[in-house]
Amino acid sequence: MCVNVPAAGMAVTGEVRTYASSEWASRSFCGICGTPLWYRLNREGADYSLAAGVLDDLTGLVLDQEIYVDTKPAGYAFAGDHPRLTEAEFLATLGLPEGPA
Amino acid sequence: MTAMKGHCLCGAVQIDVAKHRGFTAVCHCRMCQRWTGGLFICFPAEADQVTVAGPVTRFASSDLAERAFCSTCGSHLWYRATGGDGHYALMPGLFDRARDLPLKSEIYTDRALPGLELPGDHARATRADYESRNEHLEGDLP
C-alpha cells in the first residue's frame, strides 16, 4: 500500500538498502529492520511510491486505487468503491501492452 | 493442509512448509503496519514443519518477537514470537499455494489504515478486545 510523493517532497536519512527488482524500477527497505520504504521507477526525478505504514499520520488520506486485482489472492478483499484495475487495464493507462505474468 | 514451497522476490531465500494450520490472519497494530507498509497478513505453521535456507536477517522488533526478511531484496518472511510454541507466522505472498487460504482472523481492526478494513465473516477484535485477552501486551507502539 503506498502514497505517491514527488521527489522534491522527500528528505531521507538512515540505513536505506535498495534492491533492483526489475529493469524499470527498484524497491528500497531499511537494512536493519526490513521495513519497506518505497518503490521507485529508474527515471531521473521519479516520484516515490512511499510505503504508507512508514508515515506517522495518515489522517485525511483515502484508498484511491487498486491495481493488478486479477492476481489478487481470493482469500481476502479490500472494502470501498475505489477503482480496481486488472493488469491489462493498468498497463493500458501507461500506454503499455500486456507484459509477461 | 498441503505442503508448499516459497521464495522471496530475488529467490535467495527458500522456505519449505510441510504442514500449516490452513488459514490466514491479519493484524492492523501500529508495529505491523509500519513494518509491512500497510497490511500485515500471515499464515501460521509449527516450527518443526518449516525449513528455511538463504540470507535471512532477523530483527528483534520487541521483547516478544522477531521479524525476518531477506537480506538482499527485503521481502518479508515471517513474524515469530520468542516465547510460546515458537510457530512461524509466514507471509503468504512467498508461496504460490497459499493464495487461496481463507482469512479467519483480523485483530486491531480499529487501527486499520484507510480502506484496509476487510469485509468477510471472519473473527475480528479491536485493540482493546485483543489486549484485554493478552495482558502481557503493553500497547502496539514500539
Side-chain angles (χ1 to χ4, degrees), chain A residues 10 12-22 25-40 48-52 54, chain B residues 8-13 34-37 55-59 67-77:
Chain A
M10 285 281 285
V12 183
T13 55
E15 185 86 25
V16 177
R17 213 181 283 180
T18 298
Y19 171 64
S21 45
S22 67
S26 65
R27 297 170 190 261
S28 296
F29 58 100
C30 172
I32 297 170
C33 73
T35 294
L37 300 172
W38 58 77
Y39 171 95
R40 199 172 182 217
Y48 291 76
S49 296
L50 183 73
V54 161
Chain B
C8 65
L9 193 60
C10 74
V13 175
R34 197 178 291 278
W35 187 54
T36 60
V56 176
T57 301
R58 290 166 173 77
F59 173 65
R67 296 175 190 262
F69 57 99
C70 172
S71 316
T72 302
C73 70
S75 295
H76 289 181
L77 305 172

Side-chain angles (χ1 to χ4, degrees), chain B:
Chain B
M1 293 292 157
T2 46
M4 50 175 83
K5 289 182 187 293
H7 58 84
C8 65
L9 193 60
C10 74
V13 175
Q14 304 277 329
I15 303 182
D16 277 18
V17 177
K19 227 169 81 168
H20 56 87
R21 297 187 195 169
F23 62 88
T24 55
V26 161
C27 179
H28 295 290
C29 83
R30 199 64 194 93
M31 289 182 75
C32 283
Q33 285 175 348
R34 197 178 291 278
W35 187 54
T36 60
L39 187 72
F40 177 100
I41 181 166
C42 68
F43 71 101
E46 314 318 316
D48 61 358
Q49 301 297 321
V50 177
T51 311
V52 181
V56 176
T57 301
R58 290 166 173 77
F59 173 65
S61 46
S62 69
D63 291 342
L64 308 172
E66 70 176 20
R67 296 175 190 262
F69 57 99
C70 172
S71 316
T72 302
C73 70
S75 295
H76 289 181
L77 305 172
W78 66 77
Y79 168 97
R80 196 174 180 205
T82 42
D85 61 14
H87 72 270
Y88 288 82
L90 295 158
M91 270 62 248
L94 306 170
F95 301 85
D96 289 345
R97 291 176 125 193
R99 294 180 59 73
D100 296 318
L101 290 177
L103 177 63
K104 289 295 186 197
S105 161
E106 196 181 353
I107 63 174
Y108 287 80
T109 51
D110 50 330
R111 295 289 233 180
L113 290 178
L116 293 197
E117 315 84 4
L118 302 175
D121 56 8
H122 50 274
R124 287 175 176 78
T126 60
R127 178 184 169 188
D129 290 341
Y130 189 71
E131 289 180 7
S132 71
R133 290 188 263 123
N134 289 277
E135 287 175 11
H136 60 284
L137 294 174
E138 293 170 356
D140 62 339
L141 300 172

Side-chain angles (χ1 to χ4, degrees), chain A residues 35-86:
Chain A
T35 294
L37 300 172
W38 58 77
Y39 171 95
R40 199 172 182 217
L41 296 176
N42 298 338
R43 231 178 26 214
E44 192 62 38
D47 290 352
Y48 291 76
S49 296
L50 183 73
V54 161
L55 295 171
D56 289 339
D57 185 0
L58 282 153
T59 307
L61 296 182
V62 296
L63 180 60
D64 181 71
Q65 189 185 60
E66 227 179 303
I67 62 175
Y68 288 80
V69 292
D70 46 334
T71 57
K72 184 188 73 63
Y76 69 91
F78 299 135
D81 55 9
H82 50 273
R84 290 170 169 80
L85 279 63
T86 61

